[in-house]
Amino acid sequence: MKPASSTAPVDAFLEESAATASAVSIRGLDYFFGQGELRKQVLYDINLTLPKGQIVIMTGPSGSGKTTLLTLIGALRSIHEGSLQVLGQELRGLGNSKLVEVRRNIGFIFQAHNLFESLTASQNVEMAVELVGNFKNKRQQAAAMLGQLGLGERVSYKPASLSGGQKQRVAIARALVNEPQLILADEPTAALDKKSGRDVVTIMQHLAKNEGRTILMVTHDNRILDVADRIINLVDGRLESDETLSHFQETHDPKKLDGQMFIL
Amino acid sequence: MKRVPLSVLNLLHDRSRLLVAIAGVAFAVLLIFMNLGFLGALLSTTTNFYEQFNGDIFLMSPQSLEISSTEPFPRTRLYQVAGVEGVQRVMPLYSDYVLWKNPETGISRAMFVYGYNLQDPVFLMPEVNTPEGIRILQQPNTVFIDRLSRPEFGPQTTGLVTESDRRQVTIGGQYSLGGGFAADGTLLMSDQNFRRYFAPRPLTQINMGILLLEPGTNPQKVKEALRALLPADVNIFTKAEIIEHDSTYWLQTTSIGFIFGLGVLVSFVVGTVIVYQILYTDIRDHLREYATLKAMGYSSWFLFKVVLQEAALLAGMGYVPGLIVSLGLYRLTVNATEGALPMQMTLFRVVLVLVLALTMCSLSGLISVRRAMTADPAEVFA
């Protein structure tokens, strides 16, 4: 069943994205879970373009398909309908080993740090460096990355002796060390206190602004919304809104709410 | 720089779990070594008396199963080959069971008897090769008794007189030979005495023909020459071949091969289950990390290798202590049984068990690796 005319998302950046090459380009993406009778549609006609150098925050109630969209862009699932281009590569119809190749160009940051407890911070990061075959100076590369994230003193610590924020920063170092053009993050600050969370997003903001990385982040954390260039809202598998930060702030700022609406 | 040794570090991370795993593998290796050791020792006790036989080539009827159940064949066969080049001496050997009465309890038991011409150096035991020993054996109704006979046969004092198949018999001396699996005790007597005890059996029918070769002769060459001369009513064995022949008989026709083979199999399965349990727990605990590796762009093949490496490492780390403890227990067994159970480590067994340990661990690795291979990177985001 085809969804009834989906509310056309306001692509505020259409003009801009045409000028610069986009990191992610999605056209008419439908996605289903299950097979046959149990087949259930979770994403409806998604059209989305992420230009390079942009930080995009994706919000939406749980079960709206945010994570599914993220895993599709991350080449962790294969798409069936529509078109999905990541870093210039069409993912539809790619085989498993090709998908693995695509993933190597994407940095993943998860809600949990997912570090190997048996490896030191440096070794955990080196595991990523080894993927691109750079064995010669992987130690220096890992140490430099950890240094950038303020963990220069902690390179040979194991995760058990690091704090939550430090662990998440190691995970970020692992995701960033190969300088991926696209970074996908799923609630990267959920497990962190206010200060650590702020540190983490500042690092990301820095990367996007200075090095032109594209970041797509799923979050419910209102404290970090200010770093976004753009906020998209996904509801029940449909893109409900796509707006700039300032517009979002205007419409969501409690001070600007019309006092009349609270009067009965 | 080398790759981060993920398999090693994962194993070393949880030391107590690693110790349990090593102990498990070592225990399985130990059980396999002990089973093989007992099997080997028992098999060698079935045939170790051949070492005291002073011969290089043995003739036996094709209908004979092993040394204690032989079918007699004509002595002429022996004389037919006495002139073959390289043959120094041909010696007939007679054997049969006789009932031996324990003089203290009056109970009779079957005793295995070897009879031979006293001029022939059939046996290597020093007691029966002295002029004095030969003189004693020449006396009628006089025998030497095996010190390794079971105690149920009674005292073995020289000069003791008892009964054997309604005939008086005098113990003239002792020697150490051992009866293998078939005989609880053995006697040696002259062929003339053998004729007396086993009348009316003629001396022209012999149980085994023993050939002593000139020093430096190749037994295999002589065997071929004999084969060309002799009809098919005798089988020809070199010493190694007859030991192998008898061992095979005991291995195949008794349950000892089955019992210890089953022991090895059970130990193997126990080891496999222990290693599987360890590896599976390890994979389950690290499933999110493995899935993350896949999300980063590692292939399933990489995870496959990590798990198999862990399996191989466990095999190696468990094998060494297993081998060391087994060597100690082998020595302990030999001491405890005063040499009756000659447990000896052979190079073949060392290699065989190492291969078994590696197979065991790889097998459990292969069973448990499926879980890691199916780790879905998309689930890490959930």
Side-chain angles (χ1 to χ4, degrees):
Chain A
M1 57 168 215
K2 193 94 174 112
S5 61
S6 58
T7 48
V10 193
D11 198 337
F13 291 85
L14 204 60
E15 283 169 39
E16 197 184 330
S17 68
T20 61
S22 57
V24 177
S25 164
I26 307 174
R27 290 287 164 267
L29 172 68
D30 290 331
Y31 191 78
F32 304 87
F33 277 134
Q35 303 247 314
E37 293 278 304
L38 297 170
R39 193 162 130 116
K40 182 177 180 300
Q41 189 160 8
V42 287
L43 292 176
Y44 297 89
D45 191 26
I46 305 287
N47 292 289
L48 182 66
T49 302
L50 304 183
K52 285 186 176 164
Q54 211 173 53
I55 299 185
V56 181
I57 285 185
M58 181 156 56
T59 60
S62 53
S64 59
K66 302 184 301 292
T67 302
T68 308
L69 184 56
L70 207 61
T71 54
L72 284 168
I73 297 172
L76 302 178
R77 299 180 197 275
S78 22
I79 68 162
H80 311 116
E81 285 170 35
S83 156
L84 170 55
Q85 287 191 7
V86 174
L87 303 170
Q89 167 90 48
E90 173 61 53
L91 296 192
R92 184 169 170 181
L94 279 193
N96 219 342
S97 56
K98 288 278 181 197
L99 286 176
V100 170
E101 299 249 329
V102 172
R103 285 180 215 156
R104 295 189 181 181
N105 301 313
I106 302 173
F108 291 95
I109 301 167
F110 309 96
Q111 186 171 348
H113 51 79
N114 294 341
L115 298 174
F116 274 101
E117 292 286 333
S118 55
L119 305 184
T120 63
S122 169
Q123 283 170 329
N124 265 300
V125 179
E126 285 168 40
M127 289 293 294
V129 183
E130 287 172 10
L131 264 176
V132 294
N134 192 353
F135 287 82
K136 208 169 169 188
N137 47 6
K138 56 171 184 157
R139 177 66 46 86
Q140 291 90 313
Q141 231 176 305
M145 193 70 231
L146 287 167
Q148 274 186 41
L149 295 173
L151 291 170
E153 307 282 299
R154 297 279 190 274
V155 283
S156 49
Y157 281 47
K158 290 201 173 164
S161 32
L162 296 175
S163 72
Q166 287 170 333
K167 278 187 262 199
Q168 191 61 297
R169 276 187 277 162
V170 175
I172 291 171
R174 180 171 64 179
L176 302 184
V177 71
N178 287 334
E179 310 190 340
Q181 290 309 303
L182 176 62
I183 295 156
L184 301 177
D186 189 17
E187 305 263 11
T189 58
L192 302 181
D193 60 60
K194 188 178 174 189
K195 182 175 180 306
S196 312
R198 174 49 61 181
D199 288 348
V200 164
V201 291
T202 311
I203 292 161
M204 290 194 190
Q205 195 173 26
H206 180 79
L207 280 166
K209 292 297 154 253
N210 297 0
E211 304 187 28
R213 313 289 172 77
T214 310
I215 299 175
L216 176 60
M217 191 178 352
V218 168
T219 190
H220 285 114
D221 191 348
N222 290 326
R223 299 171 302 189
I224 61 168
L225 290 181
D226 60 291
V227 300
D229 294 314
R230 178 180 170 195
I231 295 172
I232 57 180
N233 192 19
L234 204 61
V235 176
D236 291 340
R238 292 185 174 83
L239 270 182
E240 278 290 327
S241 65
D242 185 347
E243 48 203 354
T244 60
L245 179 65
S246 50
H247 184 251
F248 181 86
Q249 277 171 335
E250 269 172 37
T251 50
H252 289 73
D253 193 343
K255 287 177 202 152
K256 301 239 170 131
L257 282 180
D258 189 354
Q260 294 286 328
M261 65 185 283
F262 294 109
I263 297 169
L264 285 172
Chain B
M1 281 180 92
K2 282 203 229 146
R3 197 172 266 285
V4 173
L6 184 61
S7 47
V8 180
L9 293 171
N10 268 355
L11 277 183
L12 290 180
H13 182 62
D14 192 339
R15 296 296 165 92
S16 51
R17 188 190 288 167
L18 178 66
L19 275 181
V20 171
I22 290 177
V25 176
F27 185 62
V29 165
L30 177 73
L31 283 178
I32 293 177
F33 266 126
M34 291 316 280
N35 275 296
L36 289 176
F38 283 126
L39 179 62
L42 281 175
L43 281 182
S44 80
T45 59
T46 65
T47 50
N48 58 0
F49 54 83
Y50 275 116
E51 298 303 327
Q52 306 261 43
F53 278 41
N54 185 23
D56 301 300
I57 290 195
F58 297 79
L59 303 185
M60 214 160 66
S61 159
Q63 297 194 22
S64 300
L65 299 174
E66 40 81 40
I67 192 156
S68 73
S69 42
T70 48
E71 193 66 28
F73 65 95
R75 188 170 58 183
T76 329
R77 296 282 170 264
L78 209 49
Y79 296 152
Q80 267 178 291
V81 297
V84 171
E85 195 183 342
V87 176
Q88 190 185 57
R89 196 168 193 139
V90 294
M91 305 178 284
L93 181 67
Y94 307 90
S95 61
D96 209 335
Y97 282 101
V98 74
L99 281 177
W100 177 271
K101 182 180 259 180
N102 180 339
E104 285 176 345
T105 62
I107 293 172
S108 291
R109 271 177 88 97
M111 186 80 122
F112 194 60
V113 181
Y114 293 108
Y116 64 106
N117 185 336
L118 296 179
Q119 307 308 313
D120 290 335
V122 175
F123 294 98
L124 290 170
M125 288 84 76
E127 298 90 336
V128 296
N129 287 316
T130 58
E132 175 64 8
I134 293 173
R135 195 190 58 75
I136 295 170
L137 280 171
Q138 278 170 339
Q139 295 169 15
N141 302 336
T142 303
V143 299
F144 270 38
I145 188 167
D146 193 343
R147 291 191 193 92
L148 303 176
S149 302
R150 288 191 62 83
E152 287 87 339
F153 286 106
Q156 302 174 345
T157 334
T158 306
L160 187 115
V161 178
T162 181
E163 259 177 54
S164 179
D165 277 359
R166 294 194 293 171
R167 205 172 241 287
Q168 271 206 344
V169 60
T170 310
I171 296 179
Q174 301 85 23
Y175 60 92
S176 298
L177 179 65
F181 248 34
D184 290 338
T186 67
L187 296 176
L188 287 191
M189 58 172 70
S190 69
D191 51 356
Q192 296 310 310
N193 275 325
F194 194 86
R195 182 77 182 82
R196 286 189 181 96
Y197 280 97
F198 295 95
R201 189 181 151 176
L203 287 180
T204 51
Q205 293 287 311
I206 66 174
N207 295 80
M208 189 175 263
I210 299 174
L211 277 67
L212 197 57
L213 301 184
E214 304 279 0
T217 319
N218 180 357
Q220 212 58 43
K221 283 251 167 62
V222 179
K223 186 188 163 185
E224 282 162 26
L226 298 186
R227 192 68 275 173
L229 282 172
L230 289 173
D233 63 353
V234 277
N235 279 347
I236 307 161
F237 302 93
T238 63
K239 196 165 197 169
E241 282 167 356
I242 197 153
I243 290 175
E244 178 68 27
H245 172 264
D246 276 23
S247 301
T248 311
Y249 170 82
W250 290 115
L251 187 64
Q252 290 175 351
T253 52
T254 63
S255 47
I256 58 167
F258 175 76
I259 289 168
F260 292 105
L262 195 67
V264 169
L265 185 73
V266 168
S267 323
F268 185 85
V269 171
V270 166
T272 308
V273 170
I274 293 174
V275 179
Y276 168 75
Q277 199 62 40
I278 298 288
L279 287 178
Y280 183 84
T281 322
D282 184 64
I283 289 171
R284 197 195 55 203
D285 289 357
H286 293 122
L287 203 55
R288 290 184 71 84
E289 286 89 337
Y290 285 136
T292 307
L293 287 184
K294 283 175 113 177
M296 283 159 60
Y298 276 102
S299 60
S300 296
W301 171 238
F302 175 82
L303 300 186
F304 187 82
K305 280 192 294 183
V306 168
V307 174
L308 276 196
Q309 274 169 14
E310 288 190 19
L313 283 168
L314 280 181
M317 289 191 282
Y319 176 79
V320 174
L323 175 64
I324 292 170
V325 176
S326 301
L327 285 171
L329 283 182
Y330 274 27
R331 178 161 301 176
L332 199 72
T333 311
V334 172
N335 289 343
T337 58
E338 288 166 347
L341 216 49
M343 303 255 278
Q344 267 166 358
M345 192 61 84
T346 60
L347 183 66
F348 172 73
R349 195 178 297 155
V350 167
V351 175
L352 175 75
V353 177
L354 180 60
V355 171
L356 278 179
L358 283 171
T359 316
M360 180 171 86
C361 292
S362 310
L363 201 65
S364 10
L366 286 177
I367 302 171
S368 49
V369 81
R370 289 178 312 173
R371 188 80 183 90
M373 303 267 284
T374 55
D376 184 0
E379 278 172 19
V380 189
F381 270 116

